[in-house]
Amino acid sequence: MTSLTSPPTATSTRRYARVLSIAGSDSGGGAGIQADLKTFSALGCYGMTAITAITAQNTCGVTGIHGIPPEMLKAQIDAVVQDIGVDAVKIGMLHSPEVVHVVADAIRSYQLPHVVLDPVMVATSGDRLIAQETVGVLVKELFPLAEVVTPNLDEAGWLLGRSIGGVDALEQAAQDLLRLGARAALLKGGHLPGDWVVDVLAVQGNPLGHRLQSQRIATHNGHGTGCTLSSAIAAHLALGLPLAQAVEQARAYILGAIAAGADVTTGKGHGPLNHGHAPVAQRVFL
């Protein structure tokens, strides 16, 4: 990292850690690209977006979804990649097969690094955010391109075609996600009952999953938790951390964000996290 006091020059190679969010917009500000940008900024990265869909939603639910035309999504990705560059990518809501193809083509053609795929299917409120026919295309096209996929329990159940009944089933389910083509899978167990939240990180070539656990924080404000975790992983990958450490640091950030916003009232439903609970200075690299 270079000194922030040295003046820039016309030939300066100083730059930020650049993270691109390819995801949907949440008008309520708690999830989607809004949560991603807040997370990137809080962790010292420069955030960019390619919006896949505009949603009308708040803390109570989703009342409308307007998909962005695939050609406009492609134009957004082309614009930021060709000019600014990308050090990591977070992928969220992809509502149609055509959108999935655009994203996969961009990753391949630009060889985009450190892709974190959050297979967003349902909002915290329970509203469905993805067409059924998109799921198979998502797995085929994007699982092999992602450095890690980060489904929650319900999403993993849909992907695997079975329910995941408890903590003891998490490790096998995570390994089964790898068999769908993922290089690594972080299976989030937060929807399971109990005083402890257990997640499992499984990586190709390693027969044993790595368990990460933390005490559950009592709160009604969990909107955007999955978006925030996946964007935090992407931010730490952009900053140069290896995957396992990026996941651990991202979990630490999100636990702090949940705790800091646990007793704050925002809206009438599931409120957001406190993304800005412990911001760090934006990093500048050579």
Side-chain angles (χ1 to χ4, degrees):
M1 184 174 71
T2 61
S3 170
L4 297 181
T5 59
S6 57
T9 67
T11 58
S12 174
T13 58
R14 291 153 50 85
R15 64 170 183 80
Y16 302 118
R18 305 154 299 182
V19 192
L20 170 62
S21 170
I22 305 174
S25 169
D26 172 8
S27 56
I33 62 164
Q34 286 82 354
D36 296 343
L37 287 175
K38 292 173 187 178
T39 302
F40 299 154
S41 180
L43 295 175
C45 294
Y46 180 83
M48 304 164 289
T49 63
I51 301 174
T52 62
I54 300 170
T55 69
Q57 66 174 300
N58 52 30
T59 63
C60 297
V62 180
T63 57
I65 299 176
H66 175 71
I68 300 299
E71 59 272 18
M72 185 58 191
L73 173 60
K74 180 181 184 303
Q76 293 176 79
I77 298 173
D78 290 343
V80 297
V81 174
Q82 292 172 10
D83 176 41
I84 301 170
V86 173
D87 296 306
V89 181
K90 176 266 172 77
I91 301 174
M93 176 185 173
L94 304 177
H95 59 283
S96 72
E98 294 78 14
V99 165
V100 174
H101 288 303
V102 166
V103 174
D105 289 345
I107 294 171
R108 285 189 289 258
S109 61
Y110 289 116
Q111 298 184 359
L112 298 179
H114 299 309
V115 176
V116 179
L117 172 61
D118 185 22
V120 176
M121 298 179 183
V122 175
T124 304
S125 60
D127 295 290
R128 189 74 183 257
L129 298 174
I130 185 173
Q132 182 62 43
E133 63 269 20
T134 306
V135 177
V137 180
L138 185 78
V139 171
K140 180 181 178 181
E141 291 289 321
L142 288 178
F143 268 45
L145 299 177
E147 184 165 346
V148 61
V149 299
T150 63
N152 63 29
L153 210 64
D154 293 334
E155 291 158 351
W158 289 322
L159 289 166
L160 297 174
R162 69 174 191 270
S163 61
I164 302 168
V167 171
D168 292 337
L170 288 177
E171 291 188 14
Q172 183 59 58
Q175 292 293 332
D176 290 343
L177 288 169
L178 300 185
R179 294 186 179 92
L180 293 179
R183 286 184 277 162
L186 177 65
L187 178 52
K188 301 171 293 189
H191 290 177
L192 292 173
D195 295 333
W196 290 82
V197 174
V198 179
D199 303 329
V200 172
L201 175 64
V203 180
Q204 286 284 4
N206 187 346
L208 298 177
H210 176 46
R211 285 196 181 194
L212 305 103
Q213 60 182 18
S214 53
Q215 194 161 14
R216 190 179 299 276
I217 300 168
T219 180
H220 195 59
N221 298 328
H223 182 50
T225 304
C227 300
T228 301
L229 179 61
S230 56
S231 58
I233 294 170
H236 284 299
L237 290 172
L239 290 167
L241 295 185
L243 177 61
Q245 191 175 350
V247 169
E248 290 175 354
Q249 290 296 315
R251 286 186 92 255
Y253 166 74
I254 198 170
L255 288 171
I258 294 172
D263 61 353
V264 179
T265 299
T266 306
K268 300 171 184 174
H270 296 280
L273 317 181
N274 184 341
H275 292 89
H277 72 285
V280 300
Q282 191 150 295
R283 298 282 299 274
V284 179
F285 297 94
L286 281 174

